[in-house]
Amino acid sequence: MRIYYQDADITVAASGIAVHGRTYALGDIEEAWRGARRAVGRKSLIAWAVLLVAVVVEAAVWWSTRWIWAGRGLLLVAAILLVRVIAHLAAGSTGLQAMEDIRRYGRSQELWITVARAPVRVLCTDDAIRYGQVCRALSRALDDHEAARSVS
């Protein structure tokens, strides 16, 4: 038996799709479709907060260095610029990670099938990579099933 995709929750195989302790044969699946809902919430707030902190740090450094350049505080300027670089590195990595999380986990994605005229949600996840893998696996399994049925 060929397995197209398998994890702890769902298995897509040549015989059918097994999810939540139930198995649906590929021949019984009348239709498969995708659905999605936005679920950005907290992660977008984190990204906006990181951006706001970076802007505030930039404004504070600009104001303080403008004021310090009037005197002889070259060492103080170097220390402030070092803090600026460290703040940018921290905000940059945190901000990039938050943006990547928004891109990957930004919406709740659902995979539905119709079995005996009843819709069945087989997958609901916010992981776009896993969702894509399951969708491709189900699509390949259904295509292979159709091809085998048309040959015989």
Side-chain angles (χ1 to χ4, degrees):
M1 173 173 68
R2 181 174 178 188
I3 295 177
Y4 294 92
Y5 179 85
Q6 184 174 20
D7 66 16
D9 299 326
I10 188 168
T11 300
V12 179
S15 61
I17 183 168
V19 61
H20 306 301
R22 302 222 24 191
T23 302
Y24 304 98
L26 291 179
D28 295 342
I29 297 175
E30 300 164 2
E31 182 183 11
W33 74 94
R34 303 173 180 202
R37 289 183 274 155
R38 285 195 70 83
V40 174
R42 188 174 68 111
K43 290 177 183 165
S44 68
L45 292 177
I46 291 171
W48 281 109
V50 167
L51 179 65
L52 180 65
V53 167
V55 168
V56 168
V57 166
E58 260 317 294
V61 167
W62 175 81
W63 180 80
S64 61
T65 54
R66 192 174 139 229
W67 174 73
I68 292 172
W69 280 117
R72 295 186 174 179
L74 189 57
L75 185 59
L76 188 58
V77 169
I80 289 174
L81 291 178
L82 179 64
V83 168
R84 176 183 179 190
V85 167
I86 292 171
H88 276 278
L89 289 175
S93 65
T94 305
L96 289 175
Q97 182 62 44
M99 286 195 277
E100 178 64 22
D101 284 349
I102 289 171
R103 185 188 69 75
R104 182 173 178 184
Y105 302 106
R107 59 179 35 204
S108 177
Q109 302 186 33
E110 300 174 340
L111 179 61
W112 293 79
I113 61 172
T114 303
V115 177
R117 295 186 188 162
V120 178
R121 185 175 69 184
V122 294
L123 180 67
C124 180
T125 184
D126 61 352
D127 186 347
I129 293 173
R130 178 178 178 234
Y131 177 74
Q133 290 172 343
V134 173
C135 287
R136 283 189 299 276
L138 182 59
S139 176
R140 285 194 315 263
L142 289 171
D143 288 345
D144 290 351
H145 179 74
E146 274 299 313
R149 217 163 71 179
S150 66
V151 169
S152 46

